Amino acid sequence: MAGSSHGHTPAAWTGVIIAFIGFCVASLFMVVSSPVGFWAGIGIALLGGAVGGIMSKMGMGKPQHAHPLNQAGGDREPARAQS
């Protein structure tokens, strides 16, 4: 995945950072035995996924057409015969 720059976009970084903060909040409230705080942290983690998805749809993610596997079947170039 390193060769395809997977995850190196503002949308990916923002979503992961928000989700990480959510998991940290959830784990803290799990230790202090507060179910409301735990579920609030899980909500923050889910919010990170939503924010990353929205930012990706707004154009801050990797374009979907950048890899040939993401193209529809009719849009691909035919395989070339090797000589």
Side-chain angles (χ1 to χ4, degrees), residues 54-81:
I54 290 169
M55 288 179 68
S56 180
K57 297 287 184 193
M58 290 174 56
M60 293 184 228
K62 186 172 181 180
Q64 289 296 319
H65 63 281
H67 195 276
L69 292 178
N70 292 332
Q71 295 177 358
D75 296 339
R76 295 183 188 162
E77 294 180 18
R80 297 184 185 140

Side-chain angles (χ1 to χ4, degrees), residues 17-81:
I17 289 170
I18 293 172
F20 178 72
I21 290 169
F23 283 118
C24 289
V25 168
S27 63
L28 172 72
F29 281 105
M30 181 181 286
V31 170
V32 298
S33 188
S34 173
V36 174
F38 169 77
W39 288 110
I42 295 298
I44 294 170
L46 293 174
L47 179 69
V51 168
I54 290 169
M55 288 179 68
S56 180
K57 297 287 184 193
M58 290 174 56
M60 293 184 228
K62 186 172 181 180
Q64 289 296 319
H65 63 281
H67 195 276
L69 292 178
N70 292 332
Q71 295 177 358
D75 296 339
R76 295 183 188 162
E77 294 180 18
R80 297 184 185 140

